[in-house]
Amino acid sequence: MTQTPTDFLVVIPARYASSRFPGKALAQLGGKAVVQRCYEQCLLAVSADNIVVATEDNRIVDFCTANNINVILTSDNCLTGTDRVAEVAALRPAQWYINVQGDEPFLDPAGLTQIIDAALNAKPTTQVINAYSNITNEEDFRSVTVPKVVCSQDNMLLYASRAAIPTTKSLQFVRARRQIGMYAFSASALQMFAAQSDKTPHEQLEDIEILRFVEMGVPVQMIEVDSVGIAIDTPEDLERAKQFLQTR
């Protein structure tokens, strides 16, 4: 069956005024902007009609327009990327909104397909889905720029943290899961999320927006996807990404 933008819409929040790395969406990575690489990876999974970049800055709007990328200018007071997706949802009706972080230039198209399929085939009670992959090295486990997730036995999110969790009494790395910047939200879940005027306490403390749902008592279904590449949170991440790109 042909999928249309009313079934789902992939939204790429791309904030220019990033606190850790201002302008990272337009930072050059192998001759292309980071947000452009993310968009092109999404294009490998879905049609252009099902993708839109959401930004607060006209520089990103101009870049997207010049490169034939669908873009929506949102307000500059969104607390998080998910709040930005909620603004898009108020303008573009769809059953599901797939939030793909604009700082994931090596997004796996198969993972995007997985989360879309999970959303379109979800139980009526499921409103939020997030992706994860296994952490395979201690550097990522210890890194504060890699959010870790802890799940129940039926893969519901229990907590997410920038700290090295879960760990042993002697703080060893045994096994862990990395949160992937792909989410699926129902329209009603986004309305609940955006209705909060402030970040929830642990969301604010950890700077991990999915925790707002956990703190509001909204169940978050986690699905495993393959992980490739590096999320661009800092200038140092960009340098790592450049090295990764050269080895691909």
Side-chain angles (χ1 to χ4, degrees), residues 142-165:
R142 304 292 176 191
S143 173
V144 296
T145 66
V146 178
K148 274 69 68 175
V149 294
V150 177
C151 306
S152 65
Q153 291 185 335
D154 58 351
N155 266 1
M156 302 304 292
L157 180 62
L158 296 175
Y159 193 66
S161 179
R162 296 187 180 277
I165 63 170

Side-chain angles (χ1 to χ4, degrees), residues 47-69:
S47 71
D49 289 341
N50 287 77
I51 309 172
V52 64
V53 171
T55 183
E56 93 295 10
D57 195 281
N58 279 309
R59 283 166 287 193
I60 296 178
V61 171
D62 292 342
F63 174 84
C64 290
T65 302
N67 288 276
N68 297 313
I69 298 172

Side-chain angles (χ1 to χ4, degrees), residues 76-151:
D76 60 2
N77 57 1
C78 293
L79 295 174
T80 68
T82 303
D83 291 287
R84 204 170 303 286
V85 176
E87 284 199 9
V88 172
L91 301 171
R92 296 277 299 272
Q95 293 182 34
W96 284 93
Y97 296 87
I98 313 300
N99 181 345
V100 173
Q101 299 299 293
D103 58 7
E104 293 267 0
F106 304 111
L107 171 87
D108 181 13
L112 177 55
T113 298
Q114 281 180 259
I115 203 161
I116 291 170
D117 288 345
L120 296 181
N121 294 287
K123 297 177 182 178
T125 54
T126 300
Q127 298 188 69
V128 182
I129 304 170
N130 192 191
Y132 73 87
S133 67
N134 292 320
I135 291 176
T136 58
N137 63 80
E138 187 154 357
E139 181 183 1
D140 284 347
F141 180 64
R142 304 292 176 191
S143 173
V144 296
T145 66
V146 178
K148 274 69 68 175
V149 294
V150 177
C151 306

Side-chain angles (χ1 to χ4, degrees), residues 159-175:
Y159 193 66
S161 179
R162 296 187 180 277
I165 63 170
T167 189
T168 66
K169 283 184 178 180
S170 55
L171 306 181
Q172 293 174 306
F173 168 49
V174 178
R175 60 182 177 273

Side-chain angles (χ1 to χ4, degrees), residues 5-71:
T6 56
D7 292 324
F8 68 89
L9 184 66
V10 174
V11 183
I12 305 174
R15 182 169 175 252
Y16 192 91
S18 169
S19 58
R20 286 188 291 255
F21 188 0
K24 69 178 179 179
L26 298 183
Q28 289 295 300
L29 176 58
K32 294 182 180 180
V34 168
V35 70
Q36 182 179 3
R37 286 194 173 275
C38 179
Y39 171 79
E40 289 178 352
Q41 291 301 106
C42 292
L43 267 183
L44 296 175
V46 301
S47 71
D49 289 341
N50 287 77
I51 309 172
V52 64
V53 171
T55 183
E56 93 295 10
D57 195 281
N58 279 309
R59 283 166 287 193
I60 296 178
V61 171
D62 292 342
F63 174 84
C64 290
T65 302
N67 288 276
N68 297 313
I69 298 172
N70 295 324
V71 61

